[in-house]
Amino acid sequence: MNVLVINAGSSSLKYQLLDTTSGEVFAKGNCERIGIDGSFVGHEERGGEKSKLEVALPDHKTAIKHVFEILDQAGFDTDKIEGIGHRVVQGGWYFPESKVVTDETLGWVREVAPLAPLHNYAEADVIEICRELFPSIGNVIVADTSFHYNIPEKAWRYALPRDVVDKLHIRKYGAHGTSHRYIWRKTKELLGDDVHKLVSCHLGSGASLSAIEDGHDMDTTMGLTPLDGLIMGTRCGSIDPATVCYLVREGGYTIDEVDTMMNKQSGLLALSGISSDSRDIEAGAERGDANCQMAFDMFYYRTSQLIMEMAQAMHGFDTMAFSAGIGENSDVMRAGVAKELEWMGVKIDPEKNKVRSDEPRVISTDDSKIRVLVVPTNEELMIALDVEELLGK
Ligand code: ADP
């Protein structure tokens, strides 16, 4: 089935056109700076060159029209697109699984938008535009939170007053669910009956872990929002919640400034003082920069701590899988996290760890108590497979 996957942000729109049978990507790209000066579309075709088309994109509707035009010009008959999958960041209490777009399900995306205002409103608008422009193509909502929806109550509930959490729908929703689901699927394909309790480690510029037991999510590190849990590129992850009050009361920061500080100016960027990108920090640490080394040491420490928290959710684990930008590419970061877990029998093979590949692979030694894998994630394919399941039959 030919599926177009759309990942819309407030000023950007990523797209990927792929075939669910072969997994082959025909084309992908990114509309940037929508509604801002200097907008453009970066586009790439199978086996082709990357191109950058500078074009006015006053709104998302224009951007989507351009995407279809570009695909047509590239020789892909857009009439052959059989479904559109929309990544939705926050599914709230409505999406235990992916759903076909109807007036009702689209309304839910807007209803829960206050939990993720920067994303959900734009995503809902884009879904509406696709329905209007291409009424014959079915649309599917794939929420990033769905996979975490059924974690046990003791894992999702916050110890705040019940009337407050009920009124404002406060709970752990998690994120990266589509990626964690894909990582489980690929791990299961590779290991078969040898995997039951997996700690899935999605380590990109955003990062989260999931405790997955026989395909069911038991806990995850992100919370009400994606700020919780691990130290990330620019996000601080878990800190004492009273820090927020202290910054406002004593530091004189507004609540919006604290929000920006914790989401955009913290994490590896703040610790290293130079960059949010692990490659720059690695180079810094090699030069002997103590702040870069501390950024890495803290990343290893927090990640290994939270891996043990995920293990507790399953009363043990047999496998852990590294994924996303850092997890797939940085042998240094993988080795650093594994070293922290050496005390409990995690051993990775330095040679296997150095291998670069797009395939899922085992990097632990034969005598490691826990199997350690690298599993490249593919959220777009997972979204497209959901579209196929819901619309294909
Ligand atoms: P997101 O999708 O959350 O934006 P990604 O999963 O693409 O993030 O991860 C991006 C991060 O992965 C970069 O910021 C960088 O730290 C890291 N990364 C990407 N490529 C490499 C590499 N070759 N070596 C080390 N780190 C890498």
Side-chain angles (χ1 to χ4, degrees), residues 100-122:
V100 175
V101 173
T102 60
D103 290 344
E104 187 179 35
T105 55
L106 178 56
W108 294 340
V109 176
R110 291 213 166 94
E111 190 180 333
V112 303
L115 288 164
L118 291 180
H119 291 99
N120 271 46
Y121 288 117

Side-chain angles (χ1 to χ4, degrees), residues 206-253:
S208 72
L209 310 176
S210 243
I212 310 175
E213 187 166 355
D214 288 322
H216 301 286
D217 194 35
M218 304 304 286
D219 205 347
T220 190
T221 55
M222 284 178 169
L224 175 76
T225 75
L227 184 57
D228 205 0
L230 297 168
I231 294 172
M232 303 175 223
T234 60
R235 294 181 216 150
C236 58
S238 310
I239 53 167
D240 179 350
T243 311
V244 177
C245 312
Y246 184 73
L247 282 167
V248 171
R249 276 200 214 104
E250 298 300 322
Y253 294 95

